[in-house]
Amino acid sequence: MEKKDNNGIIPDVKIRKEVPQLIAVLKEMKEGLDTVTSKVQALTAKVKAKQYPTADGVSYLEAKHLLLINYCQSLVYYLLRKAKGLSIEGHPVVRSLVETRIFLEKIRPIDKKCGYRIERLLTAASTDAVKVDTTENIADATQKSEDLLKYRPNPDMLDNDGIYRPPKIAPVTMEEGKKSKQERDALRKEKDTLRRVRQSEYVKSLVDDLEGRPEEVKDMIGAESRDFTKYVANWEKREQQEEELFTRAPITKAEKRKIRQLTKSNGLQGLTDDFYDEIRALPLGDEVDEKKTSGFSSASTIERRHKKRKEKVENGYYVIQSGKISGKRCIPVK
Amino acid sequence: MADKAVTIRTRKFMTNRLLARKQFVIDVLHPGRANVSKAELKEKLARMYDVNDPNSIFVFKFRTHFGGGKSTGFGLIYDSVESAKKYEPKYRLIRNGLATKVEKSRKQLKERKNRAKKIRGIKKVKAAEAGKKK
C-alpha cells in the first residue's frame, strides 16, 4: 500500500500516481465478487433444498471450497478496514487470515497427488457427456464406462482372449542413461590403465616429488610378488586410517605370521631378473600384455592363452617353477 | 651415531586447543640405523619447535616400515607441563618421568579381590574398613 510519512500525511504526488491503479484493482475485485455472490446464492438455494446433505461428513473438495471462501471473506473484511483507515492491530481477522492460509498451504501436497485423478474425472465427465455431480466423492465416481483409461485395476477388464490390459495411469519413461557395450568396455579399459599407471614407479616418484617427500631407495632383490604388493597396499591404507584417528590398531597373530612369511627371503627366486616383470606396470598397447593383466578370464580364454604360448615358443624360453609353467617369459639377449 | 643422518618430518600438524597441545604424525628417516630412541627424537623436536621444556613433548606408537630405514609414529607437544599432567595417560607420564609408578603387589590385590567375592553389599565396605584399621 502507500508509504506514509512520519506525520501520517500521504504525499500528494504519490496519491495522484496510485489512484488510477487503485481504481482498476477495485473494479476487478468488484467483478470477482459479483460472480462469486451469484454462484454462492445458487448454492445456498440448493442447500436449502436439502440437496447436499453433510450427514456422511465433508469430502476433501468441499472442505477446500469452504476454506477458500473463508479466506476470501477475511481478506475482504481486512481490505475494508484498511480502506476506512481503521487499525488492524490485534484484530482477530488477521489471525483467521493466517490460520486459513496455513491450512491451504498444508493441503497443497494432497492437491498435487489428487490432481491427475481430478483432471481425469473432469475430462471423463465432459467427454462422456454424463452429468457427474461435482460434489460427489471421488470414490463414488468409478462408474462402469467404456473408457479404457480408467484409473484403477479392474478384473472385469479381461479381454475376450484372456489378455488383461492394465489401466494407463502414469506415464512410463524409457530407460535413459544405459550405456552400450562399447562405452562400458572403454570405461573399464580406462579404469584399468589408470590403476596400472598409478602403481608404476615413475608416477610414484612424481607424486613424492610434488609432496616434497625425500627420495626413497628401496633395496629389494628382484621384483615383488603380487601377494606382497597387495599386502603392502592394504598396509598403506591401514596406516592412513591410523594417522587420521591418531591411534594404532593392534596387529593380530595371523597378521604377524603373514608379515614374517612375506619378509622372509624366498630363496633364489628374487635373484632371477625378469624383464617381463619390469614392463608389467607400463601401459603398453600389447595384446598379450593386456590379456595377462585382465582379470576377466573364462575357460575358453585360458585355453586360448595356453595355445598362444605354445605357438610362441621360438621367441624365448619359459621359466619352470615347481613343475608348473609360470607366466614369465624370458627373452634371450642377443 | 652422528655419522648416520636422521631426518624428521612432521605431517598432519594440528593445534588442539581443547587439550592445550599440538599433535602431529612423525616420519623418521634413519637409513642404516635400527631405530631412533625417543629421547633423541624429543631433543630434535624441541629444537624444531622451540619448546622451552622438553618434558612437555611426548612421542609414542612408533612402527618401523618394511625393510627398515623409516619409522612412523605420533607426537604431542603440550603448552605446559601442568596441562600435560592433566591430559596425558599415566603410563606416558611415567615414561617421561613426570609421575612414578605405584608398585602394588599383584598377588596381594588378587587375594583381596577373592576375599571380597565371598561377602556381599554393605558388609564389603565394613570389611574393607576393618582391614584398613588393622
Side-chain angles (χ1 to χ4, degrees):
Chain A
M1 278 290 180
E2 301 130 346
K3 252 196 245 171
K4 293 201 174 160
D5 280 0
N6 293 341
N7 314 0
I9 305 169
I10 310 163
D12 247 1
V13 187
K14 266 225 161 180
I15 294 180
R16 243 172 266 155
K17 255 198 284 175
E18 299 195 359
V19 157
Q21 289 178 0
L22 188 63
I23 293 179
V25 166
L26 285 172
K27 210 174 189 175
E28 260 184 67
M29 218 171 85
K30 188 168 185 306
E31 285 172 13
L33 282 172
D34 283 338
T35 40
V36 165
T37 30
S38 60
K39 291 207 171 166
V40 167
Q41 275 171 354
L43 278 175
T44 34
K46 281 197 184 169
V47 168
K48 288 210 175 123
K50 302 227 164 124
Q51 275 199 5
Y52 301 132
T54 54
D56 303 321
V58 182
S59 82
Y60 167 71
L61 291 172
E62 282 183 22
K64 198 157 171 229
H65 288 158
L66 290 170
L67 273 174
L68 284 167
I69 291 176
N70 191 3
Y71 191 68
C72 289
Q73 268 183 327
S74 321
L75 210 69
V76 168
Y77 183 67
Y78 176 83
L79 286 173
L80 255 178
R81 276 190 83 90
K82 274 214 136 183
K84 285 203 174 164
L86 298 168
S87 125
I88 41 163
E89 208 56 51
H91 199 274
V93 80
V94 178
R95 196 199 158 85
S96 77
L97 262 176
V98 170
E99 270 183 27
T100 326
R101 187 64 187 273
I102 291 176
F103 285 143
L104 284 168
E105 290 198 351
K106 287 219 169 180
I107 60 178
R108 203 178 295 168
I110 312 176
D111 230 1
K112 235 181 136 199
K113 280 199 176 171
C114 297
Y116 187 78
R117 293 181 84 186
I118 296 175
E119 267 191 51
R120 281 252 143 264
L121 246 186
L122 291 174
T123 48
S126 55
T127 53
D128 282 0
V130 175
K131 262 253 162 166
V132 182
D133 228 346
T134 45
T135 55
E136 250 183 19
N137 269 335
I138 297 174
D140 290 353
T142 52
Q143 297 169 15
K144 256 200 176 161
S145 67
E146 295 296 302
D147 193 12
L148 283 169
L149 299 171
K150 255 163 67 163
Y151 27 77
R152 70 170 170 126
N154 202 351
D156 304 341
M157 294 260 284
L158 265 166
D159 272 356
N160 312 2
D161 28 337
I163 303 170
Y164 173 68
R165 295 185 202 282
K168 300 173 186 176
I169 302 177
V172 179
T173 52
M174 292 301 145
E175 249 206 52
E176 291 178 26
K178 217 179 175 186
K179 300 196 190 108
S180 68
K181 185 159 189 253
Q182 289 98 336
E183 284 179 43
R184 268 188 285 141
D185 275 341
L187 267 168
R188 204 185 293 147
K189 212 181 254 185
E190 218 186 281
K191 227 185 354 177
D192 217 16
T193 46
L194 210 73
R195 182 175 48 89
R196 255 185 288 145
V197 158
R198 224 175 275 151
Q199 287 176 354
S200 81
E201 291 260 335
Y202 179 60
V203 173
K204 279 194 197 151
S205 67
L206 270 179
V207 168
D208 279 347
D209 218 12
L210 264 165
E211 299 218 343
R213 294 191 211 143
E215 223 180 277
E216 289 181 24
V217 175
K218 290 195 208 153
D219 55 345
M220 279 219 60
I221 312 167
E224 303 157 345
S225 68
R226 208 192 299 172
D227 245 1
F228 186 72
T229 38
K230 224 197 294 184
Y231 187 79
V232 166
N234 276 346
W235 191 256
E236 294 281 309
K237 208 163 62 156
R238 186 202 170 109
E239 288 264 323
Q240 269 183 14
Q241 283 183 331
E242 283 178 349
E243 281 168 17
E244 276 298 306
L245 303 171
F246 222 70
T247 49
R248 288 262 190 231
I251 307 178
T252 58
K253 278 208 188 106
E255 284 178 0
K256 275 198 206 139
R257 223 184 310 137
K258 187 135 195 234
I259 293 175
R260 215 181 316 136
Q261 213 177 34
L262 287 171
T263 51
K264 219 166 32 168
S265 61
N266 297 357
L268 296 171
Q269 194 184 39
L271 295 174
T272 53
D273 204 351
D274 220 307
F275 178 63
Y276 182 70
D277 280 330
E278 280 176 32
I279 65 168
R280 183 173 56 172
L282 298 174
L284 305 166
D286 202 10
E287 197 196 316
V288 182
D289 191 9
E290 275 179 31
K291 272 232 161 101
K292 285 201 200 290
T293 52
S294 77
F296 317 104
S297 54
S298 62
S300 58
T301 56
I302 291 173
E303 277 175 58
R304 234 183 293 146
R305 227 190 287 165
H306 280 300
K307 286 197 188 136
K308 252 204 169 136
R309 279 196 204 153
K310 287 204 179 128
E311 284 170 20
K312 290 204 171 181
V313 92
E314 60 264 28
N315 284 2
Y317 52 89
Y318 291 91
V319 173
I320 298 176
Q321 271 180 342
S322 63
K324 283 190 283 181
I325 298 179
S326 79
K328 303 181 186 176
R329 221 166 17 124
C330 302
I331 302 172
V333 179
K334 293 256 158 92
Chain B
M1 297 179 215
D3 42 331
K4 306 270 170 80
V6 175
T7 322
I8 300 187
R9 288 173 70 240
T10 56
R11 281 187 289 130
K12 294 203 199 273
F13 189 92
M14 193 172 90
T15 313
N16 194 338
R17 281 279 115 234
L18 297 166
L19 298 170
R21 71 186 186 198
K22 303 188 195 100
Q23 59 194 48
F24 42 87
V25 175
I26 307 177
D27 266 345
V28 188
L29 302 158
H30 46 88
R33 265 178 77 161
N35 243 333
V36 184
S37 68
K38 286 203 264 263
E40 202 181 322
L41 280 174
K42 287 208 291 188
E43 203 189 315
K44 288 208 189 295
L45 280 171
R47 240 179 295 144
M48 258 169 72
Y49 287 100
D50 292 327
V51 183
N52 317 346
D53 192 358
N55 263 343
S56 59
I57 305 179
F58 296 85
V59 288
F60 51 97
K61 295 268 197 274
F62 272 92
R63 232 190 238 163
T64 315
H65 288 222
F66 276 127
K70 182 172 176 193
S71 30
T72 313
F74 304 116
L76 308 166
I77 301 180
Y78 279 90
D79 290 345
S80 64
V81 181
E82 284 79 43
S83 50
K85 285 204 183 142
K86 204 159 86 157
Y87 295 121
E88 276 291 280
K90 258 290 170 92
Y91 75 95
R92 269 188 238 153
L93 292 170
I94 295 169
R95 277 189 199 172
N96 255 20
L98 295 171
T100 52
K101 183 166 179 164
V102 180
E103 277 299 327
K104 287 195 211 155
S105 158
R106 199 153 168 233
K107 188 114 202 254
Q108 303 288 346
L109 285 171
K110 286 185 189 267
E111 279 182 5
R112 185 162 181 269
K113 174 203 68 159
N114 285 335
R115 258 178 279 137
K117 271 201 268 184
K118 294 190 199 147
I119 318 173
R120 187 151 166 78
I122 198 85
K123 297 194 197 109
K124 229 184 255 207
V125 180
K126 295 224 171 107
E129 281 178 12
K132 267 196 196 158
K133 278 210 181 122
K134 257 206 296 194

